[in-house]
Amino acid sequence: EPEVTQTPSHQVTQMGQEVILRCVPISNHLYFYWYRQILGQKVEFLVSFYNNEISEKSEIFDDQFSVERPDGSNFTLKIRSTKLEDSAMYFCASSPGPLGYGYTFGSGTRLTVV
Amino acid sequence: DAKTTQPNSMESNEEEPVHLPCNHSTISGTDYIHWYRQLPSQGPEYVIHGLTSNVNNRMASLAIAEDRKSSTLILHRATLRDAAVYYCILRPSYNTDKLIFGTGTRLQVFP
């Protein structure tokens, strides 16, 4: 069964450093998403991306965050200057279409900011 | 955003059916009902979704009340691998594509 692949599985970074989280969505999917889950809390929406642009973002997704689809296969989330409160599991997801379709999520990247 | 209400936790024995309820009394006519689950230390996993009619797939069945104010996810024979947090999520069919996760129902399955 096709999978969404995320790398790395665990990233440790110092506060203030930039991190890039990488995702390879399912190849024929057109809609891409990032979610995060702080330990012990709910899964939270960050951003959705379609046709090479952001279609929706949450209040969490401020100027420190950016997304990019640099080529036909990768989808990245960049955090410019990490804070301690950015420590969380970050999940990438993709979907073949909007709204009426289910998402496929990756296994996540655990980001630890020290 | 439309809200759902689920029990915090449920228990089942292996190989027994499990009925996971969800109330969504403020559902609008165009909201899809989605179910996802999250196994320990993993990302959410799509289970099933529906609009008005009951739905079946290889993982589960979804029974939707006639007035759509509630739904039930049915696992026909629970296995240990089904132990997870199950999320019932309303997904509007217009103007937003995000999933809003609640706290879900933690399902424990006993051998």
Side-chain angles (χ1 to χ4, degrees):
Chain A
E1 195 161 326
E3 289 184 343
V4 172
T5 306
Q6 290 187 245
T7 55
S9 56
H10 191 187
Q11 171 107 34
V12 181
T13 188
Q14 292 211 320
M15 194 167 53
Q17 295 296 304
E18 174 183 287
V19 293
I20 297 176
L21 308 183
R22 301 182 193 279
C23 170
V24 179
I26 293 173
S27 61
N28 63 347
H29 285 189
L30 302 175
Y31 294 77
F32 313 112
Y33 313 88
W34 284 100
Y35 284 74
R36 79 171 186 190
Q37 187 173 31
I38 295 170
L39 187 63
Q41 297 189 23
K42 298 177 190 178
V43 178
E44 301 174 289
F45 169 78
L46 292 178
V47 67
S48 58
F49 190 86
Y50 169 69
N51 202 24
N52 280 322
E53 60 182 30
I54 290 173
S55 46
E56 190 173 2
K57 60 182 180 179
S58 72
E59 289 178 358
I60 302 167
F61 194 89
D62 61 21
D63 292 344
Q64 293 300 311
F65 291 86
S66 62
V67 289
E68 200 176 39
R69 188 152 160 83
D71 52 43
S73 58
N74 290 287
F75 180 50
T76 61
L77 175 69
K78 183 194 293 186
I79 309 175
R80 275 184 249 289
S81 176
T82 50
K83 308 186 197 73
L84 294 176
E85 54 265 36
D86 294 327
S87 297
M89 283 290 290
Y90 287 81
F91 297 110
C92 173
S94 69
S95 172
L99 306 170
Y101 291 84
Y103 290 16
T104 302
F105 282 83
S107 299
T109 294
R110 178 171 299 285
L111 177 66
T112 303
V113 182
V114 297
Chain B
D1 297 320
K3 298 277 192 294
T4 63
T5 305
Q6 300 177 252
N8 288 334
S9 63
M10 291 186 65
E11 297 178 353
S12 175
N13 293 319
E14 209 175 2
E15 298 191 9
E16 288 184 354
V18 181
H19 291 233
L20 297 162
C22 180
N23 286 319
H24 28 78
S25 58
T26 59
I27 191 170
S28 78
T30 53
D31 288 343
Y32 283 85
I33 301 160
H34 280 242
W35 284 82
Y36 285 77
R37 70 180 185 182
Q38 188 173 23
L39 278 64
S41 302
Q42 294 193 28
E45 177 185 24
Y46 168 79
V47 178
I48 201 166
H49 77 280
L51 185 62
T52 55
S53 304
N54 295 343
V55 185
N56 300 296
N57 66 20
R58 63 178 176 81
M59 288 181 71
S61 296
L62 176 59
I64 301 172
E66 202 167 324
D67 63 5
R68 300 206 332 122
K69 293 183 187 297
S70 65
S71 61
T72 302
L73 180 71
I74 302 164
L75 307 179
H76 295 285
R77 288 182 66 202
T79 69
L80 296 177
R81 197 196 170 274
D82 291 323
V85 179
Y86 287 78
Y87 300 100
C88 169
I89 300 171
L90 298 184
R91 194 168 176 197
S93 64
Y94 62 93
N95 84 0
T96 180
D97 197 24
K98 65 187 178 194
L99 296 174
I100 299 175
F101 286 81
T103 53
T105 296
R106 181 172 298 278
L107 176 66
Q108 290 183 279
V109 181
F110 298 105

